[in-house]
Amino acid sequence: MDAALMGSPSVAAGDNPTSGEHRMGTTIVGVCYDGGVVLAADSRTSTGMYVANRASDKITQLTDNVYVCRSGSAADTQVISDYVRYFLHQHTIQLGQPATVKVAANLIRLLAYQNKNMLQAGMIVGGWDKYEGGQIFSVPLGGTILRQPFAIGGSGSSYLYGLLDHEWKEGMSQDEAEKFVVKVVSLAMARDGASGGVVRTVTINADGVSRKFHPGDKLPLWHEELEPQNSLLDILAAGNPDPMGRAKATCPRKCLSHRPYLMAVVAPPSLALPQPQNPTPKPRRRPPRDVASWTSAIARPAKQGDLPAAAAALSAMLSSPAAPAPNDVTLLTVLSACADSPSTPLARRLALSVHARVLKLFPSHLLLSTCLARFYFASRLPHLALQLFDSMPVRSAVTYNTVISGLMRNGLVAAAFEMFDGMPAPDKVSWTALIDGCVKNGRHDEAIDCFRAMLLDGVEPDYVTLIAVISACAEVGALGLGMWVHRLVVRQGLERNVRIANSLIDMYARCGLVELARQVFGGMRKRTVVSWNSMIVGFAANGRCTDAVEHFEAMRREGWFKPDAVTFTGVLTACSHGGLTDDGLRYYDLMKAEYGIAARMEHYGCVVDLLGRSGRLEEAMRVVISMPMPPNEVVLGALLAGCRMHGDVGMAEQLMQHLLELDPGGDANYVLLSNIYAAVGKWDGAGKVRSLMKARGLRKRPGYSAVEIDGDVHEFVSGDRSHPQAEEISQMLGLLMHEMAGHDYDHIIDCMNGE
């Protein structure tokens, strides 16, 4: 890998002046300018000959706005580029937005590191995005990516790095940057004596991408001021025993006086070069000597999330004869980095290696064992974590809390409760892990029960606990308990906590008290995008469509936060429920054009529902057909609901074929199609749908009603007698019916009897 890419003046790969045979290869350069980046490379092989094929074009497109410059093995780097291009394409499809330059650079860094033993190449990633502008990243093998204003790699990179550092200036124009990179690459070609070549440049900015080709006979070669018959190429070709001396003799002194980098080339070794006045020596970082220094060198990239660099530092420590053995802090640092990035292939291999060293050096170390358990839980290997826990001779509260959180994260709720019950003295963190785990696993009633048990146990909840409890109240509609928690928040002085305030807004909105949500929102001194989104979505869900649109416009006017994908989902839902078709379509176009947010599945569902409710079913169908991803059952179900609303049986039958493939067990779609047939009087069709449901063993899932009494939520299903007070409830309903019988409520009684 080119040392120049690391910002070092050492000799680059493929640029070894001490070797007997001078090798020549591609030179790559990347430069940032005011408004974008310019990438440049020459197209030649290691022999210096120009080659016109796909592999020789060392500037490869990864996305619409990201390119990579490649030096070294054309075949190897082309394979890496192809893999990265595929991954970035999948990234764009899944997230609904283009990948950034840094994401592309990280992917290349990862693949290059995994193939470092057989890959000798330099790569520069450059591109432009609307948030960061033009960016250049160099990709050293085994190291972190480096964001730089300029980078150079390949043949001649160490020789020309000083020139690049000296002549690059901030605020370059596009024209200046393009001429500059062409000059740098042509210098490398002239120095190598290439017999032919083309410099290719790619300029990337807000206006798009432009590619240019600069033929060899038009290049500003570094010997441009020499006499044509005495050019360096002629001297080298003639086999002169002292080509450098002849070149200097034929070069005017004024040519060299303002080009110190040429003096370094043409001067013989015995010639003393003029030294710059008042030199400022650059401090050199000394290699680590003691275990603390090595641990610090590992911890720096580990804290930045750069696991490959941390692994490389650990490998250097273990392989260096002068380095001390890693201590427990060193291994703990590496394991923590692995636990923070459990999905990477390197993390598992590295953690297993460290685990083996822990068993050898620190078999009963409490913190190391706890950190290993955390890693195994994060890697979805709970059985290994539990085996490790069982083998620990000593366990702390931190160990128990780590295991409880890990079990909950892996969906093992019963095992987490069993672990909690076996804990000697559960603390605040233990209760919070249990409550939060129940919420995240959909056990909201159990989360509320745990919260009550926590209070009875005399443990004071913190803000993390309260956020989890408020979320559980929102899910089950426990308004009374939610308001009690709100009072507890005020009593503890936590009402200014932004996360708690956002949770309260969501809870009140879900419970139907949107005005209380507005009061909480109005009392916030500091808001976030989540605060605005909670209000907009809350208004939309409660039918306050005008208020939702007004808050969306207020958010745009204030300008502190940009609407995101969730914001537009809320305002599109409001427009759909409020019949604001034209406004909804305008906001949909605004989302893509002004804010650059790619439409996701939920946005398409909102637009289809918007058009379907207004009777524009053909337009809704065109939206479904034009979707870049296959529509799911929610999108098609929204269009099916529009068909029912407007009696379009033909389109409903067409949609039902796709819905049966996507969601064959969904009873709601069958019921909806049956109701469509019934609404237009096609009873045979309705009967066929009911028969099909029966043949497939499907039954309509009954709806339920819920009522909160004294903080407890009671659910009732039609015909259900499982409630412990079912007999008393039935007697009370009978008494009410008797009271109503003396009045003109016969039609109400018929409704209650289901007639």
Side-chain angles (χ1 to χ4, degrees), residues 651-685:
M651 184 178 291
E653 292 175 337
Q654 180 182 354
L655 290 172
M656 197 61 189
Q657 298 299 323
H658 298 287
L659 282 169
L660 291 178
E661 297 175 2
L662 289 173
D663 187 21
D667 62 297
N669 298 322
Y670 292 93
V671 175
L672 194 56
L673 181 61
S674 175
N675 292 338
I676 293 173
Y677 280 127
V680 297
K682 291 189 174 183
W683 303 107
D684 292 341

Side-chain angles (χ1 to χ4, degrees), residues 473-492:
C473 293
E475 290 292 339
V476 301
L479 177 61
L481 180 60
M483 297 180 75
W484 186 89
V485 174
H486 191 176
R487 288 193 294 271
L488 181 61
V489 167
V490 175
R491 189 166 67 244
Q492 292 187 353

Side-chain angles (χ1 to χ4, degrees), residues 252-580:
R253 186 69 184 176
K254 65 178 182 178
C255 171
L256 301 178
S257 61
H258 67 285
R259 293 187 176 187
Y261 54 91
L262 296 187
M263 292 286 290
V265 179
V266 301
S270 60
L271 180 62
L273 298 178
Q275 297 295 323
Q277 297 182 356
N278 300 324
T280 304
K282 294 184 178 180
R284 294 185 178 180
R285 180 177 295 171
R286 294 183 177 181
R289 294 183 178 180
D290 56 8
V291 68
S293 302
W294 279 102
T295 302
S296 178
I298 296 171
R300 276 192 297 270
K303 290 180 180 178
Q304 297 173 358
D306 191 353
L307 189 59
L314 177 64
S315 177
M317 181 181 184
L318 296 175
S319 60
S320 175
N327 62 8
D328 55 343
V329 179
T330 311
L331 299 180
L332 191 63
T333 301
V334 177
L335 285 175
S336 298
C338 293
D340 292 335
S341 305
S343 59
T344 60
L346 175 62
R348 182 170 296 187
R349 297 198 304 269
L350 183 59
L352 290 175
S353 175
V354 173
H355 192 174
R357 188 168 291 271
V358 168
L359 292 175
K360 181 179 179 181
L361 300 177
F362 309 100
S364 302
H365 199 288
L366 179 61
L367 288 180
L368 285 173
S369 299
T370 302
C371 196
L372 278 168
R374 174 174 167 247
F375 166 76
Y376 286 130
F377 278 123
S379 300
R380 302 294 179 182
L381 299 170
H383 59 289
L384 294 181
L386 290 176
Q387 290 178 12
L388 180 63
F389 177 82
D390 293 336
S391 66
M392 293 174 63
V394 179
R395 302 157 186 167
S396 66
V398 176
T399 308
Y400 276 98
N401 295 337
T402 300
V403 174
I404 293 171
S405 298
L407 290 171
M408 285 294 190
R409 192 179 299 115
N410 284 269
L412 303 174
V413 180
F417 271 98
E418 183 178 350
M419 185 66 62
F420 179 85
D421 293 337
M423 189 174 179
D427 56 10
K428 183 186 304 183
V429 179
S430 313
W431 283 103
T432 301
L434 200 67
I435 295 170
D436 185 64
C438 288
V439 172
K440 290 179 178 178
N441 283 280
R443 307 281 192 91
H444 304 105
D445 292 327
E446 293 179 58
I448 293 174
D449 292 339
C450 289
F451 177 65
R452 288 172 173 155
M454 175 183 182
L455 297 177
L456 292 175
D457 207 32
V459 180
E460 187 78 9
D462 60 8
Y463 81 96
V464 181
T465 317
L466 296 178
I467 289 173
V469 174
I470 293 171
S471 177
C473 293
E475 290 292 339
V476 301
L479 177 61
L481 180 60
M483 297 180 75
W484 186 89
V485 174
H486 191 176
R487 288 193 294 271
L488 181 61
V489 167
V490 175
R491 189 166 67 244
Q492 292 187 353
L494 297 173
E495 63 271 18
R496 294 184 181 179
N497 187 296
V498 177
R499 294 181 59 192
I500 286 183
N502 291 339
S503 299
L504 287 171
I505 292 172
D506 180 66
M507 186 269 294
Y508 283 128
R510 289 194 179 199
C511 293
L513 296 182
V514 71
E515 283 302 323
L516 290 181
R518 191 206 290 264
Q519 290 180 20
V520 176
F521 180 80
M524 295 178 67
R525 296 186 179 183
K526 181 181 177 181
R527 296 168 182 162
T528 63
V529 176
V530 177
S531 312
W532 286 98
N533 290 347
S534 298
M535 279 307 308
I536 294 171
V537 173
F539 278 127
N542 285 275
R544 303 277 291 272
C545 307
T546 304
D547 290 325
V549 173
E550 288 178 354
H551 273 67
F552 175 75
E553 294 294 347
M555 179 184 184
R556 295 182 63 204
R557 284 194 304 271
E558 289 191 9
W560 290 104
F561 303 102
K562 290 184 178 180
D564 59 11
V566 179
T567 316
F568 279 100
T569 300
V571 73
L572 289 174
T573 302
C575 292
S576 175
H577 292 176
L580 307 176

